[in-house]
Amino acid sequence: MKLHRDLAVAGSGAYEIASDPSTMLIGSRNIKVFDVTTGVERCVFEGHSGAVLSLDAQSDYLLSSSRYGGQNLSLWNLKTRERIDFLGHRRSVFTANFYDSQRIISSSKDGTLRIWEISKPARSRSAIRFPHPVRTHALYTDTKAVVGCENNQSYLVDLATRRKVRMIEGLCSPVDMKVVGNDCVILGQSGAYHYDLRTCDLVRTMNRKPNGSKFTSPKYTRELHVDEDKVFMATFTGKLIVVDWNTGRSLSSLSLGRQRLAFDYNRESSRLVCGDSEKVVKLWDHTDGTEVKESVPTSGSRCIVM
């Protein structure tokens, strides 16, 4: 694990991170854009009243969501810095991303999954209601999504009819999920679970050490990333666990230092970006085990690698 660069951040620590080989987005109450090469802050987007919980970027636009009600879902033009607010969620918006070039989709603590027309931000096109807060979601097909709720249940949902197609059982508080083809990896507080979405059956658990024994109940953050053959999971104790996609057993357990709250992985550059509660964002080269210390003072907080 090679430490590529440190970014010292002001605020309450890293909550959401996004980046590409040249740009990093870090969100706390504000969203700050950095040049990855120099560590120089390019610009700041202000307006959220609570901590930023999710970031998603598409073309020249940035989508962000945050805690609390009111202006908690916003679309930003990265060039003009104009902002559009989507009003409707009454409580924190845990996850928001682009559905396609014309729509966005968001899930909230108010128990709804909403689809919005970008051209009509005043109201959502549709709202699917659940009896419990919706923690996370992931698109499966053009008309279906997987939705995770705080009642320890996940659902396969038809977005066109707004109906729950099937329940996915046996999880402990789903906090993040990723869909790859017909497969879905759902992260709970006690580990990750691989499901086949064609049947919603459990394929395997992903909380095993190389010798087959279980991890001793690590508490995972709400961050999960999937590469072609690896699954990355971060714990609150500052470890990054890398799991083999095909076997569900860990390949390595990497110590990233102090408590981590957010991370992102860029497949093209093999760069791993980690943010923590100590107000530091670290950029790692995931290709080898050497560590090169280098730091650049900046400011900011939750992260993504674009």
Side-chain angles (χ1 to χ4, degrees), residues 6 13 15 19 23 80 164 178 188 220 235 278-279 290 297 304:
D6 282 2
Y15 296 119
S19 68
T23 306
T80 65
K164 304 175 185 71
K178 295 291 185 292
Y220 290 97
T235 72
E278 299 297 320
K279 306 177 183 178
T290 61
I304 64 177

Side-chain angles (χ1 to χ4, degrees), residues 136-147:
T136 183
H137 69 265
L139 290 171
Y140 172 34
T141 66
D142 289 343
T143 59
K144 289 185 175 65
V146 186
V147 180

